[in-house]
Amino acid sequence: MDRALAWDGCVNVRDLGGLAAGDGVTRSGAVVRSDSPDRLSEAGWGSLMHYGVKTVVALRTEGIDDDGAVVPGAPKEVTVERVLLEDSRDLRFQRLCIESGWWATPLQWAVMLEHWPDRCAAAVRAVARARSGGVVVSCGIGRDRTGLVVFLLLSLVGVPVDVIASDWALSMECLVADPVAQGLPVSEILESQGASVLVAVQRASDCGVEHRLIDGGLDRNDIELLRARLIGTR
């Protein structure tokens, strides 16, 4: 199915529905991944609300996104949940994710899951406990922070690693002409590390997603809420 959504102002928007997940499929209209909704025009916001979205989970970085304006322009009908997924001031994060050359690729997901299980758990919890209606998971360009959280969500409901990798790769295609995404040679980084997208996602999966998130404070009931939100039947 074509999962891409045309919301004026954003360039990297797609529904996470229609993906094989264990003995079911992910439900359309439940969770959407996106670049930052603050890029949306008035018409774009109209499309978002018409699609049934009630909550935007805005993934931010502590030390960089510390201002109070989470998603400027968000209508009052849309709830915005701010989650600080990263801490730019964390020296170990800088060393392992940025100085290592893994920045902006799925290679950093395993490090973030191991280093910040509490922050990862908070992002998953925000989606699981969102009010009834569609949920948008977003960051700046909808690839890196959003990519990690979408990986966590899809892993928890049993979407295979290769499907998750293919979904992440779609963002690379969407962002080819996006000036905000320029200057991050993601393909070159992966190649220099001898890893494909699939290999990078598999490394993160091998960390034990559910176990790490529970250690980070995610309640098992939250996992059931997420599965109820995201899974349909064939």
Side-chain angles (χ1 to χ4, degrees), residues 2-92:
D2 183 3
R3 298 183 290 115
L5 299 173
W7 293 352
D8 187 55
C10 284
V11 298
N12 186 20
V13 188
R14 59 187 172 278
D15 196 306
L16 295 181
L19 304 177
D23 57 357
V25 294
T26 52
R27 180 181 292 120
S28 297
V31 181
V32 173
R33 62 179 297 163
S34 174
D35 43 331
S36 182
D38 63 13
R39 296 175 158 195
L40 289 171
S41 66
E42 183 177 348
W45 278 111
S47 297
L48 178 148
M49 290 189 291
H50 182 72
Y51 201 68
V53 172
K54 301 296 184 182
T55 304
V56 170
V57 176
L59 304 171
R60 296 294 185 259
T61 299
E62 197 164 353
I64 295 178
D65 304 310
D66 292 334
D67 58 15
V70 180
V71 181
K76 65 181 185 301
E77 296 87 352
V78 177
T79 300
V80 178
E81 295 285 348
R82 179 173 180 256
V83 178
L84 293 170
L85 187 63
E86 303 170 332
D87 185 350
S88 65
R89 302 163 300 186
D90 187 308
L91 296 179
R92 185 166 180 263

Side-chain angles (χ1 to χ4, degrees), residues 104-196:
T105 78
L107 287 168
Q108 74 183 74
W109 295 355
V111 174
M112 293 178 70
L113 183 56
E114 292 171 352
H115 188 48
W116 287 326
D118 55 333
R119 293 178 185 268
C120 292
V124 172
R125 186 183 302 116
V127 176
R129 297 187 185 182
R131 63 190 177 117
S132 181
V135 180
V136 166
V137 178
S138 67
C139 60
I141 59 175
R143 182 188 63 192
D144 306 321
R145 289 165 292 189
T146 297
L148 169 60
V149 173
V150 167
F151 157 70
L152 300 173
L153 299 175
L154 296 182
S155 294
L156 286 172
V157 300
V159 175
V161 168
D162 62 324
V163 176
I164 298 173
S166 294
D167 176 70
W168 183 85
L170 287 174
S171 289
M172 296 292 291
E173 299 176 19
C174 293
L175 294 167
V176 167
D178 188 343
V180 181
Q182 303 307 309
L184 294 172
V186 175
S187 297
E188 290 84 347
I189 292 171
L190 287 167
E191 184 177 349
S192 70
Q193 299 296 321
S196 64

